Structures are given as structure tokens and as C-alpha cells.
């Protein structure tokens, strides 16, 4: 079947609200491969979309990372169903090169993401890939404080969620969590029509939590209450959101973790403010959910930015102590593995043995030192 000289990438298009995304039988997979259809007529590149109508070129149908926007920069209702962009037959060669550059970057991001979400089913991977293409188009042209393309952030959030083995809806929500709030090119209804009510609920909930946090932070210490009161209100609202949909909070924690990992690009006063907020709100939430690895990293990063001198001195001392103790810890680990392997009862209930070495986080050690009024010389007694 020929479709008026169209170029297609990907084999998915959106149906109605709540319906599954379908795969077009003749769509090319996301490998950066161009598929030419028809003669010398118009060309189309569907980034994350399937075969759509050829309504003729317009000012809103130029490739912007795979998204068709109207004259106000918003995604049109009809275009939201096909998520495609097209150009007239008179498009210049530089435009084609730009499209190919977009394809290359999308493919590069996809290879990074698929490595950590490979546990998903094939149809779920297709949905995640479609969400990546949509997020790429929505954030195209935006930069982070580091100067990197903004799309790096939602992909990193999705990767963190993938490391937690979250479901496909959570991964998609991680990719799209900023598109409504930060781009104004997609609405919550658009997200629901493409990915279903569940994804919309997570994205909308995460956005509301972000706005709540910002509003309350701006009121801290103002009339009508003190900082402690405002923090308690903030925590209560987060708990309410958590009881309605736990994945809202998990996506928010992944978002905060990546922001903390890249906090060096923010001004010093904002670093301290964000670090304090992370210690009082997000690290306790991670602890409440049993996500202790994320809790430890959030606390250590917050400690590093809020008290840099103490962090550096403690970090050097702990690193030296670990090097001194590593031979003893290694021998203890080897002895434990040997005993467990020879235990008949253990062998009956366990098919695999994995013994890992773990020490307290820097922030946890710092708290112990402070609460017990100890000095660095006493570190050896509490760092295990």
C-alpha cells in the first residue's frame, strides 16, 4: 500500500481514550531507518505515530522532534491522535538532515533506556518507546541548567524507575512527568487519549505534588504559621497522594533523585534549600516505602550540599577506614559463604547465595556522631 510519498518511523498510533496502542504492520522499527513510500510527492515522518491523514502542509506541521503543534504552540486535538509531523515537498535538504539528527538522538536515548527496561513485554516496550518519542518532541529545544537537552532528565527518571523494576505505566509516566507542567504542548487529556487513564493519573498526581511543594515552600516562615507547620502540611498532602496511588510518590522520588544527582549546576543558595527540603521530606518518604538505597543516596547528596566541609572531612576519614578494614571484611565474607554452602537446611530453602558488604551511609554516620557527641576519632565504632 502506498500513501502519498510518506516517510514513517515506528509502527504505533493512538486510538481512542483508554484503548491500547496498535502496531502498524508496515511501520519501520525505531532504528533510524527511512522508509520511502510513493513517488516524489509529500514526505512524512511519524515519530511515535502510525499512519495518519495527509491534511496538507501547514505552519503547525513542521518537525519539532516529532510533534505537530498549532500556531499557539499546543498539540492539536486531532494531531494528538497521530502524534506526527509533516513537511511539504519543497522542504529543504537541511530540514531532512535535521530530521535525521532527531532520529539519531531518539535512537541513542532508546538504547540507553531499553537496557534497563528489557524486563517489560514487547508490547509494553513499544508503548515506552512511543512515550520517549513524544517526550523528545515536547521538550525539544529546552535546556537544563547544565546546558544539556532537557530530555536527558525524563529519560534518567525512567531509567531509575526501570532499575526499580516498575511497571510500564510508571516508566511512561516518568518520561512524560514534565510535559504538561513545563512545555504546555500536551494536556492531561492528550496523555489519557494516548496512554490511558492510569498514566494520566500518575502524571497529573506528580504534577500536583510538585505544585503543592513549590507553593508551600514559598510560604515557609511567612504569616500564619512556622516552618514546622508548613512542613507537616506538606507531608500530610504527600501521604494523601501516596494512599491514592503509590506510584505517584515513587515517580516523584525518582525525579528528585536525578535532580539531586545534577544539583551542582544550581546556585549555592538553591543547593542548600533543595538539600534541606530533600532531607526533611523526600528521604523520610523513601524510608517509609522501604526504598533504603534511594534514601541513603538522597541523604548523602543532601549532606554534601548542605554541609560541604563536614561532608568532605567525614568522607575522607570513612574511605581510609574502609581501606584499612577491607581485608578483614573480605575474609569474614568468605568464611560466611563457606559455612552457608555446607549447611543442608540452607541449601534446601535457597537456590542462590549472594553475600554483600554494606556500611552505614555518610549522613547516617554524621547523625550518630552528632547525637552521641562523638568525634571523628570515634568513627570506627559506629561506621560498621
Amino acid at each position: 500500500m502506498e500513501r502519498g510519498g510518506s516517510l514513517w518511523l515506528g509502527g504505533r498510533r493512538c486510538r481512542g481514550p483508554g484503548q491500547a496502542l496498535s502496531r502498524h504492520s508496515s511501520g519501520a522499527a525505531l532504528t533510524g531507518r527511512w522508509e520511502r513510500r510513493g513517488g516524489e510527492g509529500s514526505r512524512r515522518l511519524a515519530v511515535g505515530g502510525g499512519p495518519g491523514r495527509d491534511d496538507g502542509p501547514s505552519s503547525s506541521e513542521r518537525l519539532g522532534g516529532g510533534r505537530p503543534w498549532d500556531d499557539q504552540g499546543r498539540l492539536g486535538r486531532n494531531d494528538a491522535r497521530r502524534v506526527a509531523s509533516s513537511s511539504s515537498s519543497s522542504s529543504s535538504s537541511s530540514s531532512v538532515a535535521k530530521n535525521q539528527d532527531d532520529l539519531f538522538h531518539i535512537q541513542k536515548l532508546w538504547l540507553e533506556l531499553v537496557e534497563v527496561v528489557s524486563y517489560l513485554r514487547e508490547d509494553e516496550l513499544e508503548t515506552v518507546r512511543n512515550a520517549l518519542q513524544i517526550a523528545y518532541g515536547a521538550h525539544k529545544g529546552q535546556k537544563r541548567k547544565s546546558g544539556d537537552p532537557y530530555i536527558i532528565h525524563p529519560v534518567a527518571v525512567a531509567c531509575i524507575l526501570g532499575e526499580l523494576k516498575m511497571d510500564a505505566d510508571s516508566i511512561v509516566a516518568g518520561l512524560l512527568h514534565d510535559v504538561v507542567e513545563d512545555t504546555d504542548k500536551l494536556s492531561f487529556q492528550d496523555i489519557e487519549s494516548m496512554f490511558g487513564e492510569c498514566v494520566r493519573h500518575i502524571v497529573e498526581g506528580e504534577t500536583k505534588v510538585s505544585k503543592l511543594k513549590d507553593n508551600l515552600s514559598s510560604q515557609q516562615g511567612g504569616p500564619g504559621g512556622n516552618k514546622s507547620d508548613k512542613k507537616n502540611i506538606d507531608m500530610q498532602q504527600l501521604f494523601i497522594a501516596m494512599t491514592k496511588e503509590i506510584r505517584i510518590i515513587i515517580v516523584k522520588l525518582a525525579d528528585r533523585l536525578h535532580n539531586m544527582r545534577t544539583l551542582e549546576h544550581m546556585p549555592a543558595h538553591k543547593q542548600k534549600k533543595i538539600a534541606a527540603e530533600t532531607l526533611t521530606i523526600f528521604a523520610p518518604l523513601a524510608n517509609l516505602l522501604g526504598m533504603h538505597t534511594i534514601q541513603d543516596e538522597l541523604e548523602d547528596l543532601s549532606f554534601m550540599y548542605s554541609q560541604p566541609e563536614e561532608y568532605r572531612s567525614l568522607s575522607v576519614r570513612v574511605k581510609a577506614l574502609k581501606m584499612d578494614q577491607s581485608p578483614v571484611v573480605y575474609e569474614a565474607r568468605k568464611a560466611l559463604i563457606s559455612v552457608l554452602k555446607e549447611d543442608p537446611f540452607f541449601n534446601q530453602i535457597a537456590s542462590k547465595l549472594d553475600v554483600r558488604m554494606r556500611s552505614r551511609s555518610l549522613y547516617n554516620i554524621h547523625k550518630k556522631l552528632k547525637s552521641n557527641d562523638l568525634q571523628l576519632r570515634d568513627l570506627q565504632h559506629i561506621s560498621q
Side-chain angles (χ1 to χ4, degrees), residues 112 141 165 270 320:
E112 176 185 341
K165 297 295 186 289
K270 285 194 174 182

Side-chain angles (χ1 to χ4, degrees), residues 279 299-300 302-304 306-307 309-311 313-315 318 360-374 376 379 382-383:
L279 279 176
E299 288 180 340
D300 282 355
S302 299
F303 179 33
M304 180 175 68
S306 60
Q307 302 178 65
E309 292 301 325
E310 292 187 39
Y311 176 87
S313 60
L314 184 59
S315 178
V318 168
R360 292 180 185 271
S361 67
L362 287 176
Y363 182 69
N364 192 286
I365 295 172
H366 170 72
K367 286 196 303 182
K368 288 288 184 181
L369 289 171
K370 292 298 182 183
S371 63
N372 295 302
D373 196 24
L374 300 174
L376 278 178
L379 186 62
I382 65 171
S383 60

Side-chain angles (χ1 to χ4, degrees), residues 15 24 72 100 108 120 125 178-179 185 220 241 253 258-259 277 289 321 326 356 369:
R15 296 188 182 277
H24 187 254
Q72 284 74 43
Q100 291 176 323
K108 183 178 179 181
L120 297 175
L125 289 174
D178 278 337
V179 295
K185 292 179 180 178
Q220 297 260 329
L253 285 173
H258 183 251
N259 283 332
E277 182 183 80
L289 296 176
L321 189 60
S326 60
R356 299 180 184 180
L369 289 171

Side-chain angles (χ1 to χ4, degrees), residues 68-282:
W69 315 120
D70 62 19
D71 292 335
Q72 284 74 43
R74 268 189 79 81
L75 178 69
R77 283 292 181 188
N78 293 331
D79 290 330
R81 299 175 60 83
R82 56 190 170 98
V83 197
S85 57
S86 62
S87 58
S88 67
S89 58
S90 61
S91 297
S92 65
S93 59
S94 62
S95 177
V96 174
K98 189 175 181 180
N99 296 350
Q100 291 176 323
D101 191 51
D102 288 329
L103 292 176
F104 172 78
H105 286 115
I106 292 172
Q107 173 68 353
K108 183 178 179 181
L109 292 168
W110 172 245
L111 291 176
E112 176 185 341
L113 178 57
V114 75
E115 188 174 340
V116 291
V117 299
S118 57
Y119 58 88
L120 297 175
R121 299 192 311 267
E122 184 63 29
D123 61 314
E124 293 175 331
L125 289 174
E126 288 292 329
T127 303
V128 171
R129 180 165 62 186
N130 192 52
L132 169 62
Q133 295 166 336
I134 291 170
Y136 182 92
H139 290 296
K140 186 174 174 63
Q142 290 184 323
K143 300 286 186 180
R144 285 175 61 80
K145 291 290 185 181
S146 62
D148 293 328
Y150 194 90
I151 187 63
I152 297 298
H153 171 64
V155 170
V157 170
C159 286
I160 292 171
L161 295 169
E163 291 167 359
L164 295 172
K165 297 295 186 289
M166 295 297 292
D167 64 311
D169 284 345
S170 299
I171 306 296
V172 171
L175 288 167
L176 302 176
H177 76 276
D178 278 337
V179 295
V180 176
E181 183 180 14
D182 290 349
T183 72
D184 196 33
K185 292 179 180 178
L186 279 176
S187 67
F188 293 122
Q189 183 58 45
D190 294 329
I191 291 175
E192 181 175 348
S193 70
M194 289 184 283
F195 298 103
E197 184 179 358
C198 185
V199 173
R200 173 194 173 150
H201 184 56
I202 298 173
V203 174
E204 191 169 14
E206 198 275 347
T207 301
K208 287 179 178 179
V209 167
S210 297
K211 289 182 177 179
L212 169 73
K213 172 184 65 63
D214 293 339
N215 290 338
L216 288 178
S217 295
S218 65
Q219 300 170 14
Q220 297 260 329
N226 55 38
K227 291 185 178 181
S228 178
D229 292 336
K230 293 295 188 285
K231 190 190 81 171
N232 289 335
I233 294 172
D234 203 351
M235 289 293 289
Q236 289 169 10
Q237 294 298 325
L238 287 170
F239 287 143
I240 291 171
M242 187 168 62
T243 58
K244 291 180 178 178
E245 173 57 84
I246 192 68
R247 290 175 293 183
I248 294 173
I249 301 301
I250 295 176
V251 171
K252 187 62 190 174
L253 285 173
D255 174 43
R256 176 50 62 109
L257 180 57
H258 183 251
N259 283 332
M260 288 301 297
R261 287 174 176 175
T262 57
L263 198 59
E264 71 268 17
H265 303 291
M266 299 293 286
H269 70 281
K270 285 194 174 182
Q271 289 177 351
K272 291 183 181 295
K273 178 177 178 291
I274 294 171
E277 182 183 80
T278 300
L279 279 176
T280 56
I281 297 175
F282 293 100

